[in-house]
């Protein structure tokens, strides 16, 4: 592909994205577009979900990886490719390489989730576990590239990768031609940049909103500075968008074409993941749920519909899913932790549980403490974990306990 150059960095055109789309025929899936009645009611406009969590390898990453590797010269292909990733990019590179008959080596952190390591191997890559954090893994992969001549496949900072990811934007325009607002998660920026190139060239009136996790939001300070700047020690459960510095290539495109960048909290991410599972019946990783989190956090900001929220991936470790769902339920007021005092006598605990049963609170855990020095001679403390139906039900439970004469400590 040929690229125009902007501020010393190659940029990407609509023709590049269309060329990538032709290249991906028979390789990537045209993923589904599903309506969401719940989000539509919340926003006050039609909301559709673009389901890249159902893409091959479970995320959009296959698109960019395939286009990048397919564009290599024969001698580059012969040298093989190398990548560094904790998950989605690893699987995209592994499958793309296998489809193209190219040897691939993927470096992953030592603590990478076992299902992602196993999937990357099954797609055909040689997996090497190096480093405790992604930066150390990245350095190991780059060392390997220098030592062996293998081509390093960057997850977002290359025009071929940006063009490949941009094919999602073309599909959205075909599936929802009336779209007015498009919401996409942003890490390094490759996906947002590619979509921006495709969508703005055809429909410049479409509003593009990028979403970052508040604990790893490198784009707001970078846009303020007019250049990519780093965020030290990014922290978020959304590892798919946990990137400390925007890529040079996507940054210039995002700066020019993306209308807004917003941030979401960890509570909002976990609530969005829970909503996707319960209401849309979609298994989505936290990064993939970030557009939904943005809709939940400020629905009035997206009233100019139809809105398309891009679910970028569904590769979530089962243990993280379990923790995140619990966090999401707590954030939604569906877990209630209480400590209360009662008289230590036979049947006291059964009476307490009877009060909870009357208000339909589901008891998940009970701890009965009698030997704390803070307690009186005839007192006991009970620690409860309850499943409730929401904030109003929590208030009802607390009121019923107080009305029954219990001292609720917290």
């Amino acid at each position: 592909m040929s690229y125009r150059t902007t501020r010393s960095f190659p940029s990407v055109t609509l023709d590049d994205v269309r060329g990538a789309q032709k290249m991906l025929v028979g390789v990537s899936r045209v993923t589904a577009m599903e309506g969401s009645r719940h989000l539509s009611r919340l926003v006050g406009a039609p909301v559709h979900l673009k389901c890249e969590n159902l893409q091959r390898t479970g995320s959009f990453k296959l698109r960019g990886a395939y286009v990048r590797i397919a564009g290599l010269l024969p001698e580059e292909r012969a040298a093989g490719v190398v990548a560094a990733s904790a998950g989605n990019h690893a699987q995209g590179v592994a499958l793309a390489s296998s489809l193209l008959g190219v040897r691939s080596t993927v470096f992953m952190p030592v603590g990478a989730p076992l299902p992602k390591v196993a999937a990357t191997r099954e797609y055909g890559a040689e997996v090497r576990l190096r480093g405790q954090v992604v930066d150390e893994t990245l350095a190991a992969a780059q060392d390997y590239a220098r030592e062996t001549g293998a081509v390093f496949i960057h997850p977002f900072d290359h025009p071929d990768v940006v063009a490949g990811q941009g094919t999602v934007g073309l599909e959205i325009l075909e599936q929802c031609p009336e779209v007015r607002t498009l919401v996409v998660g942003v890490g390094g920026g490759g996906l947002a940049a590619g979509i921006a190139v495709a969508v703005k060239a055809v429909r410049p009136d479409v509003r593009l909103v990028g979403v970052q996790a508040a604990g790893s939001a490198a784009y707001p300070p970078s846009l303020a500075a007019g250049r990519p700047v780093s965020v030290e020690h990014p922290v978020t459960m959304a590892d798919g968008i946990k990137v400390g510095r925007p890529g040079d290539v996507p940054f210039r495109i995002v700066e020019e074409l993306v209308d807004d960048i917003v941030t979401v909290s960890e509570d909002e991410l976990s609530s969005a993941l829970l909503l996707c599972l319960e209401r849309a019946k979609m298994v989505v990783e936290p990064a993939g749920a970030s557009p939904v989190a943005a809709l939940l956090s400020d629905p009035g900001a997206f009233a100019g519909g139809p809105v398309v929220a891009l679910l970028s991936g569904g590769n979530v470790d089962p243990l993280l899913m379990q923790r995140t769902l619990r966090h999401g339920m707590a954030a939604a007021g569906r877990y209630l932790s209480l400590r209360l005092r009662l008289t230590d006598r036979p049947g006291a605990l059964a009476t307490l549980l009877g009060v909870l049963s009357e208000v339909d609170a589901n008891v998940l855990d009970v701890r009965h403490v009698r030997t704390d020095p803070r307690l009186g001679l005839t007192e006991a403390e009970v620690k409860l974990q309850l499943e409730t139906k929401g904030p109003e039900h929590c208030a009802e439970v607390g009121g019923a306990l107080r009305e029954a004469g219990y001292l609720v400590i917290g």
Side-chain angles (χ1 to χ4, degrees), residues 66-236:
Y66 187 91
V67 173
R68 172 75 174 103
I69 297 169
L72 296 178
L73 298 173
E75 57 269 27
E76 291 174 319
R77 291 196 188 195
V81 300
V82 60
S85 169
N88 288 347
H89 181 58
Q91 294 173 67
V93 168
L95 179 56
S97 299
S98 294
L99 293 173
L100 291 163
V102 176
R103 184 178 71 257
S104 64
T105 304
V106 175
F107 285 76
M108 303 182 76
V110 172
L114 293 179
K116 294 185 178 182
V117 175
T120 303
R121 287 191 172 121
E122 288 171 8
Y123 286 129
E126 176 189 349
V127 174
R128 301 191 180 192
L129 302 178
R130 298 287 190 279
Q132 299 298 320
V133 296
V134 174
D135 286 345
E136 295 174 359
T137 307
L138 178 63
Q142 291 172 329
D143 288 343
Y144 178 89
R146 285 189 290 269
E147 293 165 5
T148 65
V151 178
F152 180 70
I153 306 300
H154 200 285
F156 51 82
D157 203 12
H158 192 280
D160 284 347
V161 174
V162 171
Q165 319 305 29
T167 59
V168 181
L170 294 180
E171 288 181 16
I172 289 171
L173 292 179
E174 292 165 1
Q175 294 170 310
C176 185
E178 69 277 15
V179 59
R180 294 289 303 279
T181 303
L182 202 163
V183 193
V184 57
V186 179
L191 176 62
I195 288 175
V197 168
V199 171
K200 287 290 190 178
V202 179
R203 287 278 311 282
D205 60 305
V206 172
R207 178 184 172 220
L208 297 180
V209 180
V211 185
Q212 293 211 284
S216 62
Y219 264 90
S222 297
L223 292 169
R227 58 181 175 79
V229 298
S230 298
V231 171
E232 296 297 328
H233 311 299
V235 178
T236 177

Side-chain angles (χ1 to χ4, degrees), residues 265-290:
S265 69
E266 299 299 285
D267 282 353
E268 289 161 346
L269 284 168
S270 56
S271 295
L273 188 147
L274 181 62
L275 183 143
C276 287
L277 186 63
E278 288 190 327
R279 305 305 292 264
K281 313 307 177 191
M282 290 285 176
V283 175
V284 183
E285 62 192 271
S290 59

Side-chain angles (χ1 to χ4, degrees), residues 9 13 28 35 43 63 75 100 111 113-114 122 125 148 188 196 211 228 240 244 282 295 308 332 350 371 384 390 397:
F9 293 104
T13 68
S28 65
V43 171
R63 298 172 184 261
E75 57 269 27
L100 291 163
L114 293 179
E122 288 171 8
T148 65
V211 185
M282 290 285 176
L295 298 182
V308 173
T371 56
L384 296 165
V397 171

